[in-house]
């Protein structure tokens, strides 16, 4: 139970910290943190919780990561569903609280026709810079695959695992720096589901990509590390 709670709180903090920074701090005209600030916020969110609860649950905070680690031989199949349920639940609760806060001023109204509304992920007309479905899929697939390679490499025997959280947090920061303009960055189905539900419009109908691309990318990355890079 402790591991499930750790995943719940870790995913909650990831969504609350990352998406919260995008909602409240990125758009301020004078002092806004912009894309770079949001990327750092996501990286800091996963880095801090990796050290806070990673020793309890492994610090996945992402259904794609759990699935990729399972395919890479680092995680038990029987734990997959409870982990994913905890992650999605934590993400949705964080999004709901963000919605309450975001709605606390008259100027903040979610327009589901606007790209990046409520920090949701999208492609085509819902991409921050108009990138199409193929570009979005390839981006999410490649970045999640490398995220798994980094996670598995940083936590393997023989690596300096004391700094694994730093490597993983910086990797997520880099991932966001690359892909915020393309998809608003997912690489995490729980994060995408939580925001799309509250953003509404066509965002829920685009969730297939932000579930399929990260999961298949994570599976690919996990298998590459296991079969090609793992020491025998």
């Amino acid at each position: 139970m402790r591991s499930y709670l750790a995943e719940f709180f870790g995913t909650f903090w990831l969504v609350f910290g990352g998406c919260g920074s995008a909602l409240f701090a990125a758009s301020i005209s004078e002092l806004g943190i912009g894309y770079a600030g949001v990327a750092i916020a996501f990286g800091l969110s996963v880095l801090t919780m990796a050290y806070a609860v990673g020793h309890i649950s492994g610090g996945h905070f992402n259904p794609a990561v759990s699935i990729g680690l399972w395919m890479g031989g680092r995680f038990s199949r029987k734990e997959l569903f409870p982990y994913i349920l905890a992650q999605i639940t934590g993400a949705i609760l964080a999004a709901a609280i963000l919605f309450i806060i975001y709605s606390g001023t008259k100027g903040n109204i979610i327009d589901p026709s606007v790209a990046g509304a409520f920090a949701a992920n999208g492609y085509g007309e819902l991409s921050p810079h108009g990138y199409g479905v193929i570009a979005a899929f390839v981006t999410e697939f490649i970045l999640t695959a490398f995220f798994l390679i980094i996670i598995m490499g940083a936590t393997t025997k023989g690596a300096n695992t004391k700094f694994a959280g730093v490597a993983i947090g910086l990797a997520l920061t880099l991932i966001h720096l690359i892909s915020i303009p393309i998809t608003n960055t997912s690489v995490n189905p729980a994060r995408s589901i939580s925001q799309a539900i509250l953003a509404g419009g066509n965002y829920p109908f685009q969730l297939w990509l932000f579930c399929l691309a990260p999961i298949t990318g994570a599976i690919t990355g996990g298998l590459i590390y296991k079969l090609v890079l793992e020491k025998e």
Side-chain angles (χ1 to χ4, degrees), residues 17-42 44 177 180:
C19 294
S21 69
L23 288 171
F24 305 123
S27 59
I28 301 173
S29 58
E30 295 86 2
L31 301 173
I33 60 176
Y35 289 168
V38 174
I40 292 170
F42 270 100
L44 289 175
L177 288 172
I180 287 177

Side-chain angles (χ1 to χ4, degrees), residues 143-154:
L143 291 178
T144 314
F146 273 90
F147 194 36
L148 260 293
I149 292 171
I150 292 165
I151 291 170
M152 293 185 69

Side-chain angles (χ1 to χ4, degrees), residues 103-187:
S103 302
T105 176
K106 293 180 180 179
N108 287 339
I109 299 173
I110 298 174
D111 182 351
S113 66
V114 174
F118 201 62
N121 303 117
Y123 57 84
E125 73 280 2
L126 298 181
S127 160
H129 289 262
Y131 286 86
V133 62
I134 295 176
F137 191 96
V138 170
T139 299
E140 292 289 333
F141 178 92
I142 293 293
L143 291 178
T144 314
F146 273 90
F147 194 36
L148 260 293
I149 292 171
I150 292 165
I151 291 170
M152 293 185 69
T155 58
T156 196
K157 292 180 180 180
N160 191 344
T161 54
K162 290 183 179 180
F163 294 98
V166 175
I168 294 166
L170 289 176
L172 191 61
T173 299
L174 177 58
I175 284 168
H176 279 78
L177 288 172
I178 295 168
S179 59
I180 287 177
I182 304 170
T183 63
N184 221 19
T185 308
S186 171
V187 301

Side-chain angles (χ1 to χ4, degrees), residues 156-157 225-232:
T156 196
K157 292 180 180 180
Y225 196 89
K226 178 182 179 180
L227 300 176
V228 179
L229 300 172
E230 191 88 79
K231 289 185 178 178
E232 296 182 0

Side-chain angles (χ1 to χ4, degrees), residues 45-217:
S45 297
V46 75
L47 186 155
T48 50
M49 289 307 289
Y51 284 107
V53 301
H55 60 286
I56 299 173
S57 67
H60 301 183
F61 318 142
N62 181 339
V65 169
S66 296
I67 293 170
L69 290 175
W70 165 56
M71 291 299 294
R74 298 280 190 89
F75 190 60
S76 171
R77 182 175 64 179
K78 69 178 182 180
E79 298 283 10
L80 268 180
F81 179 75
Y83 264 55
I84 293 172
L85 180 61
Q87 292 156 357
I88 294 175
T89 304
I92 290 174
L93 179 60
I97 294 175
L98 286 174
F99 180 82
I100 292 171
I101 299 170
Y102 189 75
S103 302
T105 176
K106 293 180 180 179
N108 287 339
I109 299 173
I110 298 174
D111 182 351
S113 66
V114 174
F118 201 62
N121 303 117
Y123 57 84
E125 73 280 2
L126 298 181
S127 160
H129 289 262
Y131 286 86
V133 62
I134 295 176
F137 191 96
V138 170
T139 299
E140 292 289 333
F141 178 92
I142 293 293
L143 291 178
T144 314
F146 273 90
F147 194 36
L148 260 293
I149 292 171
I150 292 165
I151 291 170
M152 293 185 69
T155 58
T156 196
K157 292 180 180 180
N160 191 344
T161 54
K162 290 183 179 180
F163 294 98
V166 175
I168 294 166
L170 289 176
L172 191 61
T173 299
L174 177 58
I175 284 168
H176 279 78
L177 288 172
I178 295 168
S179 59
I180 287 177
I182 304 170
T183 63
N184 221 19
T185 308
S186 171
V187 301
N188 185 337
R191 171 260 190 274
S192 295
I193 291 168
S194 64
Q195 303 310 118
I197 289 173
L198 290 168
N202 285 327
Y203 284 103
F205 296 102
Q206 293 193 357
L207 275 176
W208 69 270
L209 187 146
F210 299 104
C211 291
L212 182 61
I215 288 173
T216 54

